């Protein structure tokens, strides 16, 4: 059965969509760059054609702009130097791990260069295992570099846009919103298009060598996903420790002890705090979602390569996962225009609905897109590899698999929003519990987090059941891709959060008026919720991706069934379920230790620098930045090693059955902790913001800043910081990374693994 879309059409469509994505992001960047950061010579009343608030208040405009520019360059320098330091350490790790991949995979056939019989189709010969080792290593390095570049570019754009958002806030909420949103879109589209383009080019280059041996070709491509996610792990953990050490330190001394507002320039940790938003929430998030995207593509391609697509060498249907992503870029492009061009945000109340509409519009349009792609890029009937057998699947069934993942993502996003936005009762209840102190606030917040797990888990469960019933493991892999198909929009609303957070900080530090700070706070509160939605997406997709990779691993390691009742598997399940707790313990303690140092340093400066509280002396920002940098680099190594070494140790000593138990266990427990941690932290943060904003009568009765309920809310927010920004988001990488690593090393584990059980 031929497909409607020809192979040539596919070869044109995928790169063109990727290039359109890159061009669109450059165009958005150009629009953001039109906001100037240098004082303008007057061509009207005040150097601006549009009237600014400053005119009524008579503040000298030039000093404000110059101050904003200074603060922005300090934040940018801090973020850049941290990422460079981190990449040096991570680079060493990359080289060591690349050598490991080569040695382990090369030794499967004893480093022989002769062709071998294929694993799945014994009538054919495949390329030697040694070449798979070489190409897997190359793919790993490519994935790692792409991941690092994605994170780095995102951070650069965010630090470029933060002060520009602050300056635009003088003209009104709508202008500031558009700048923050556009810069988020720059990151979203760059990342989605880059990931797609590099993967597509890699496949085509590897095909020159592999020719018709698609099984070996796509097995080596899995290294791309491993590279992407291993970098994301260090970015997420390192960035998360950095940002939260600074945040907790700044809050505890500044707000609780000294009673000065958040982001007050007198607070020594304030620059480190703003740098942290960029390295943790932007660079970390970018690498993380890139990793999910790369892995779900790899999982789908591996399963497809041993199904009828691979056996008949049908290039278009084989590239179905990439075509879905390509169409996703076009859909997100149209969706973005709705926020920036078709409907303008005029008031504070319209900010959150506008961001929510982004999710709804992209999901609806994408459903239509998937229907078209499934119709033109798939034969009407084909077979999918299902644990040793081939299962007959129709193209409409595959359309349902992708759609169920896409809509599950939307449901998870909205449930997350309901539990973390201060517009709804859950967060308002948490805020209300602050009346009786911090203890009740903590109890309510924890309960909210545990409760928020229920619906997302059902959504993930339903999508797994539907997609597996229709198309086995391939269905699950494309369901994960469906959830990530609108990644450009998801990342845009996600990166918008930290950018507006920074904008608020800059407004406070530059001494702008109260009204501007109110506008940036409104942008920031919406950004908090969208960040929680982004984390929900990342965790939900991680669960599906991990299951798909698990299926590919089980097929590759030639296990037909994973029997929970055998002791080998059951001990694996228990240990696997424990790993997320161990990992969370490490990351949270790291934040605690780093925050302790930060608190001591901030206190020391307040006590020893004369005139600091009066605002006549400048604090020493650099020392605080250094504390965060050193702590995060040192502390990210142990959690990273735990995740990277576990599959290797289990696979080598206990074999593939136990490893499959470990993967299943870590998936099941990791998803629950990740969702509850993210939502608890998000709810505490927004409960504090709800009291501070004092919009409703209920909020006014709890406030103002500095009241006892507000202090209780600040404590809750501080506890929630490491939960929502360090442990929670890093856990989804733990789940995926262990699965993709097991898949890459599966040939080695299948032939040489299980040393301990060979003796007993």
């Amino acid at each position: 059965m031929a497909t409607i879309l020809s192979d040539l059409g596919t070869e044109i469509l995928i790169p063109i969509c990727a290039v359109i994505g890159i061009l669109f992001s450059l165009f958005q960047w150009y629009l953001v760059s039109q906001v100037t950061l240098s004082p303008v010579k007057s061509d009207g009343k005040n150097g601006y054609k549009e009237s600014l608030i400053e005119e009524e208040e008579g503040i000298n405009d030039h000093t404000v702009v110059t101050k904003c520019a200074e603060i922005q360059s300090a934040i940018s320098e801090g973020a850049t130097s941290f990422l460079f330091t981190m990449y040096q350490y991570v680079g060493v790790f990359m080289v060591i791990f690349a050598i490991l991949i080569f040695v382990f995979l090369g030794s499967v056939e004893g480093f022989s260069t002769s062709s071998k019989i294929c694993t799945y189709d014994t009538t054919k010969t495949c390329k030697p295992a040694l070449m798979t080792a070489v190409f897997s290593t190359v793919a790993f390095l490519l994935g790692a570099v792409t991941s690092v570049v994605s994170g780095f570019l995102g951070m650069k754009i965010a630090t470029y846009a933060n002060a520009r958002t602050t300056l635009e806030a003088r003209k009104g909420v709508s202008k500031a919103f558009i700048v923050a949103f556009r810069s988020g879109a720059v990151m979203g589209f760059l990342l989605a298009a880059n990931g797609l383009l590099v993967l597509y080019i890699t496949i085509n280059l590897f095909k020159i060598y592999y020719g018709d041996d698609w099984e070996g070709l796509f097995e080596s491509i899995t290294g791309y996903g491993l590279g992407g996610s291993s970098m994301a792990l260090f970015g997420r953990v390192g960035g998360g420790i950095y940002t939260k050490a600074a945040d907790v330190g700044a809050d505890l001394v500044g707000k609780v002890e000294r009673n000065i507002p958040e982001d007050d320039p007198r607070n020594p940790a304030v620059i480190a705090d703003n740098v942290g938003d960029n390295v943790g929430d932007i660079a970390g998030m970018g690498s993380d979602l890139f990793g999910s995207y790369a892995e779900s593509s790899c999982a789908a391609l591996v399963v497809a390569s041993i199904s009828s697509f691979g056996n008949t060498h049908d290039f278009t249907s084989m590239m179905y996962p990439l075509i879905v992503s390509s169409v996703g870029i076009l859909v997100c492009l149209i969706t973005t225009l709705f926020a920036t061009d078709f409907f303008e945000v005029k008031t504070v109340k319209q900010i959150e609905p506008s961001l929510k509409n982004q999710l709804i519009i992209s999901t609806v349009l994408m459903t239509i897109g998937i229907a078209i792609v499934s119709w033109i890029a798939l034969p009407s009937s084909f077979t999918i590899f299902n644990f040793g057998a081939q299962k007959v699947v129709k193209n409409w069934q595959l359309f349902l698999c992708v759609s169920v993942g896409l809509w599950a993502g939307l449901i998870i996003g909205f449930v997350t929003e309901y539990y973390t936005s201060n517009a709804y009762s859950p967060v308002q209840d948490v805020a209300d519990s602050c009346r009786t102190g911090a203890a009740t606030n903590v109890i309510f917040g924890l309960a909210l987090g545990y409760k928020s797990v229920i619906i997302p888990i059902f959504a993930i469960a339903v999508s797994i059941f539907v997609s597996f019933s229709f198309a086995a493991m391939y269905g699950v892999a494309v369901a994960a891709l469906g959830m990530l198909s609108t990644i450009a929009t998801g990342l845009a609303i996600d990166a918008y959060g930290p950018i507006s957070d920074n904008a608020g900080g800059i407004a406070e530090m530059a001494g702008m008026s109260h009204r501007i700070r109110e506008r940036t706070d409104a942008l920031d509160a919406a950004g908090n919720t969208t960040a929680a939605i982004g984390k929900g997406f990342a965790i939900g997709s991680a669960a599906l991706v991990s299951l798909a990779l698990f299926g590919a691993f089980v097929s590759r390691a030639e296990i037909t069934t994973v029997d929970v009742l055998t002791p080998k598997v059951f001990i694996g399940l228990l240990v696997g379920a424990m790993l997320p707790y161990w990992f969370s313990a490490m990351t949270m303690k790291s934040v605690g230790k780093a925050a302790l140092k930060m608190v001591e340093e901030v206190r020391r400066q307040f006590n020893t620098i004369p005139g600091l509280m009066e605002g006549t002396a400048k604090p020493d920002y650099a020392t605080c930045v250094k504390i965060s940098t050193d702590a995060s680099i040192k502390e990210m190594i142990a959690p990273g090693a735990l995740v990277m070494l576990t599959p290797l140790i289990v696979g080598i000593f206990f074999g593939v059955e136990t490893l499959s138990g470990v993967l299943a266990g870590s998936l099941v427990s990791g998803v629950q902790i990740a969702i509850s941690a993210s939502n608890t932290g998000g709810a505490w943060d927004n409960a504090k913001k709800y009291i501070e904003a004092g919009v409703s009568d209920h909020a006014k009765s709890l406030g103002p800043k500095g009241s006892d309920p507000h202090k209780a809310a600040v404590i809750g927010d501080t506890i929630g910081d490491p939960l929502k920004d360090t442990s929670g988001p890093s856990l989804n990488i733990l789940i995926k990374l262990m699965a993709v690593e097991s898949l890459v090393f599966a040939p080695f584990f299948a032939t040489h693994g299980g040393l301990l059980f060979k003796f007993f």
Side-chain angles (χ1 to χ4, degrees), residues 336-521:
T336 303
L337 297 176
F338 275 97
T340 54
D341 298 280
F342 300 154
F343 300 107
E344 209 174 301
V345 172
K346 291 198 173 55
T347 61
V348 170
K349 284 201 174 68
Q350 292 173 332
I351 299 172
E352 233 174 82
S354 175
L355 293 166
K356 269 164 64 179
N357 290 341
Q358 286 287 299
L359 289 175
I360 299 171
I361 296 167
S362 63
T363 304
V364 171
L365 291 177
M366 192 64 211
T367 311
I368 303 164
I370 297 166
I372 296 168
V373 169
S374 306
W375 176 55
I376 63 169
L378 293 171
S380 55
S381 170
F382 45 90
T383 63
I384 293 289
F385 183 84
N386 180 22
F387 298 127
Q390 292 280 356
K391 178 183 170 101
V392 178
V393 181
K394 304 265 187 290
N395 59 2
W396 60 266
Q397 290 175 315
L398 216 47
F399 158 68
L400 286 177
C401 292
V402 186
S403 304
V404 79
L406 178 67
W407 284 90
L410 185 69
I411 291 168
I412 292 174
F414 277 145
V415 170
T416 310
E417 194 232 4
Y418 173 72
Y419 279 107
T420 57
S421 164
N422 52 26
Y424 303 103
S425 61
V427 171
Q428 291 172 7
D429 290 346
V430 172
D432 193 62
S433 71
C434 293
R435 285 178 199 280
T436 45
T440 38
N441 180 24
V442 170
I443 294 168
F444 270 73
L446 287 172
L448 175 144
Y450 296 147
K451 196 175 167 190
S452 69
V453 174
I454 302 168
I455 300 173
I457 292 294
F458 277 119
I460 293 170
V462 168
S463 48
I464 287 170
F465 183 78
V466 170
S467 52
F468 194 94
S469 309
F470 281 145
M473 274 303 169
Y474 187 68
V476 179
V478 292
L481 260 178
M483 203 178 272
L484 291 165
S485 59
T486 52
I487 183 174
T489 295
L491 262 172
I493 63 173
D494 203 52
Y496 154 86
I499 292 171
S500 31
D501 189 352
N502 260 212
I506 292 174
E508 183 78 48
M509 284 186 268
M512 288 184 162
S513 72
H514 178 61
R515 287 167 59 186
I516 295 184
R517 180 72 219 217
E518 272 178 3
R519 290 173 183 178
T520 55
D521 275 353

Side-chain angles (χ1 to χ4, degrees), residues 142-364:
L142 273 172
V145 170
T146 312
S147 180
V148 163
V149 168
S150 303
F152 186 74
L153 288 176
M155 183 280 300
K156 273 295 189 206
I157 290 149
T159 51
Y160 181 80
N162 50 19
R164 288 172 165 77
T165 307
T166 313
L167 293 176
E168 287 292 278
R170 297 177 308 173
K171 301 177 190 170
V173 169
S174 76
K175 292 269 198 267
F177 172 78
I178 286 182
V179 169
F181 188 79
R182 281 210 164 115
S183 1
V186 176
M187 175 181 179
F189 284 94
L190 258 186
L191 198 138
N194 250 341
L196 177 67
L197 197 59
V198 176
L199 180 59
Y200 181 72
I201 292 171
T202 310
I203 291 172
N204 279 312
L205 291 178
F206 284 16
K207 225 168 91 191
I208 299 171
Y209 170 77
Y210 276 103
D212 279 352
D213 172 18
W214 283 18
E215 183 190 303
L217 165 63
F218 291 104
E219 192 173 295
S220 58
I221 287 286
T222 51
Y224 184 71
L226 177 62
S229 250
S230 52
M231 293 307 102
L233 174 74
F234 291 110
R236 255 300 191 207
V237 176
I241 293 169
Y242 185 106
T243 172
K244 289 306 115 179
D247 196 355
V248 172
D251 281 2
L252 283 180
V253 185
K255 286 202 281 202
V256 180
E257 291 177 13
R258 296 277 167 169
N259 254 339
I260 56 175
E262 189 168 358
D263 296 317
D264 190 297
R266 292 171 293 180
N267 193 332
V270 67
I271 294 280
D273 183 9
N274 281 298
V275 170
D277 291 334
N278 293 301
V279 293
D281 297 350
I282 299 245
M285 186 73 188
S287 294
D288 180 2
L289 279 176
F290 165 75
S292 284
Y293 167 76
E295 283 161 338
S296 53
S297 306
C298 293
L301 292 167
V302 168
V303 180
S305 69
I306 49 179
S307 306
S308 63
F309 301 156
N311 299 338
T312 57
H313 294 101
D314 181 352
F315 185 71
T316 299
S317 341
M318 190 67 219
M319 290 292 115
Y320 177 71
L322 278 86
I323 299 173
V324 169
S325 306
S326 309
V327 173
I329 291 178
L330 301 182
V331 163
C332 291
L333 198 152
I334 299 166
T335 312
T336 303
L337 297 176
F338 275 97
T340 54
D341 298 280
F342 300 154
F343 300 107
E344 209 174 301
V345 172
K346 291 198 173 55
T347 61
V348 170
K349 284 201 174 68
Q350 292 173 332
I351 299 172
E352 233 174 82
S354 175
L355 293 166
K356 269 164 64 179
N357 290 341
Q358 286 287 299
L359 289 175
I360 299 171
I361 296 167
S362 63
T363 304
V364 171

Side-chain angles (χ1 to χ4, degrees), residues 93 233-234 583 586 636-647 649 741:
F93 157 81
L233 174 74
F234 291 110
F583 180 81
M586 283 178 163
M636 76 181 180
I637 295 167
L642 174 73
V643 179
M644 300 301 286
L645 296 177
T646 302
I649 294 169
E741 192 182 329

